[in-house]
Amino acid sequence: MWLSDKWKDFELIDCSGGEKLERWGEHILIRPDPQAIWKTPRTSPAWRAAEARYSRSRAGGGSWDKGALPESWQVRYGELTFKVRPMNFKHTGLFPEQAVNWDYIMRAIASAGRHISVLNLFGYTGAATVAAAKAGASVCHVDAAKGMVAWGKENAAASGVADRPIRWIVDDCVKFVERELRRGHKYDAIIMDPPSYGRGPGGEVWKLENSIWDFVSLTAGLLSSDPLFVIINSYTTGLSASSVKYIADSVFTPRFGGHSECGELGLPVSVSGLALPCGAACRWEAGT
């Protein structure tokens, strides 16, 4: 498991009974988590001191009970600063388990010894974009949601990289990749975090397990002749890290050489000393 265990402004205090107890900076939140299927005793007093809780509705969706929680605040991870804001469907605008990927991105770019251009697809609020820019890369950030791209710009400003060469694109990622192929644009690294399910601008249905092979194969055409890495994240239940690795090794390795590695993403749980699984990731990189 790839653990994001270097956080100071975030802590997974405990998790039990389908919920997780988290500290985001100075604020304590309770959010649903389907992976926390165990029913361990909730011994931490922080369960009773939480400032906000997201509760699911039996009719679907859910809602926050925020009390006096501020609308938004900032958290830091090393050199990076991000805005946190509780929003619909339990999200906060940041996936803390991705920190282990941010570390990888920054190390790979900093040690490349050359300028690196990065394409971040389904870029959400831009954490990976900010990490890549901080390490010295130029970045093209693409997401279909205008609000998420605007949030990404806020994170870039907070992290001191607003003046770096970042292109912020509001677009359907599949359509954008197809246009970039026609334009002949190339990138040294690609990061993607495709959704489990969605619809394209023409009503096209995106279901990750049915679409990922074609999409990953399509993006291979955007890699430069000297690529550095590709990261594929997956939060789709039933799509294992090893399955994504098989795709990466089938698409990228025959064409560029290199190799893939994969793993579950996880967060350490303070109370138990164990780790909560939080999705999967695959990294393909050039070289031996």
Side-chain angles (χ1 to χ4, degrees):
M1 180 178 283
W2 293 337
L3 278 179
S4 292
D5 56 3
K6 297 181 175 64
W7 275 100
K8 295 181 179 178
D9 271 7
F10 171 85
E11 179 187 5
L12 178 52
I13 303 168
D14 196 10
C15 50
S16 176
E19 292 184 310
K20 54 189 175 184
L21 175 68
E22 306 167 309
R23 177 180 60 81
W24 294 83
E26 298 178 352
H27 302 289
I28 307 296
L29 310 181
I30 298 174
R31 296 192 294 155
D33 195 298
Q35 296 290 339
I37 59 176
W38 41 88
K39 297 180 181 179
T40 49
R42 299 187 176 192
T43 57
S44 172
W47 283 106
R48 295 182 295 277
E51 298 167 72
R53 185 180 208 146
Y54 186 93
S55 300
R56 292 196 183 280
S57 168
R58 292 183 180 180
S63 61
W64 282 99
D65 179 3
K66 299 183 190 178
L69 191 73
E71 181 180 349
S72 66
W73 64 96
Q74 291 184 339
V75 296
R76 291 183 57 82
Y77 181 79
E79 303 174 76
L80 311 177
T81 302
F82 304 111
K83 183 181 85 169
V84 172
R85 178 169 65 85
M87 55 182 180
N88 293 339
F89 197 62
K90 78 178 182 179
H91 294 308
T92 61
L94 194 65
F95 292 91
E97 65 273 10
Q98 286 290 335
V100 70
N101 275 334
W102 308 334
D103 291 338
Y104 171 85
I105 290 165
M106 296 181 77
R107 284 196 308 269
I109 292 170
S111 61
R114 58 189 170 97
H115 176 73
I116 299 298
S117 60
V118 176
L119 174 62
N120 187 12
L121 297 166
F122 310 97
Y124 196 48
T125 60
T129 292
V130 170
K134 197 74 171 181
S138 59
V139 188
C140 180
H141 174 107
V142 187
D143 195 277
K146 184 177 180 180
M148 297 301 102
V149 174
W151 194 332
K153 292 179 181 179
E154 291 184 62
N155 285 334
S159 294
V161 296
D163 60 343
R164 304 290 175 88
I166 305 174
R167 294 172 60 206
W168 300 98
I169 307 293
V170 179
D171 203 351
D172 174 80
C173 287
V174 176
K175 301 298 184 187
F176 178 81
V177 168
E178 291 172 342
R179 283 195 294 273
E180 288 290 87
L181 287 168
R182 292 194 293 269
R183 290 187 283 245
H185 289 174
K186 300 290 183 180
Y187 298 89
D188 301 309
I190 298 175
I191 304 162
M192 64 179 79
D193 195 351
S196 297
Y197 182 84
R199 289 189 178 273
E204 309 91 338
V205 175
W206 167 280
K207 195 173 182 181
L208 184 60
E209 54 265 45
N210 296 336
S211 305
I212 188 170
W213 170 262
D214 290 339
F215 185 70
V216 171
S217 300
L218 194 68
T219 62
L222 293 180
L223 283 173
S224 69
S225 58
D226 188 16
L228 186 61
F229 65 79
V230 176
I231 296 177
I232 306 171
N233 291 302
S234 170
Y235 288 89
T236 301
T237 302
L239 186 64
S240 69
S242 296
S243 295
V244 181
K245 180 182 187 300
Y246 196 105
I247 292 171
D249 279 329
S250 299
V251 171
F252 302 116
T253 304
R255 186 168 179 174
F256 301 103
H259 69 283
S260 296
E261 60 177 351
C262 66
E264 280 188 300
L265 299 175
L267 289 167
V269 182
S270 298
V271 166
S272 66
L274 302 174
L276 175 70
C278 303
C282 174
R283 302 170 186 157
W284 171 87
E285 59 184 32
T288 57

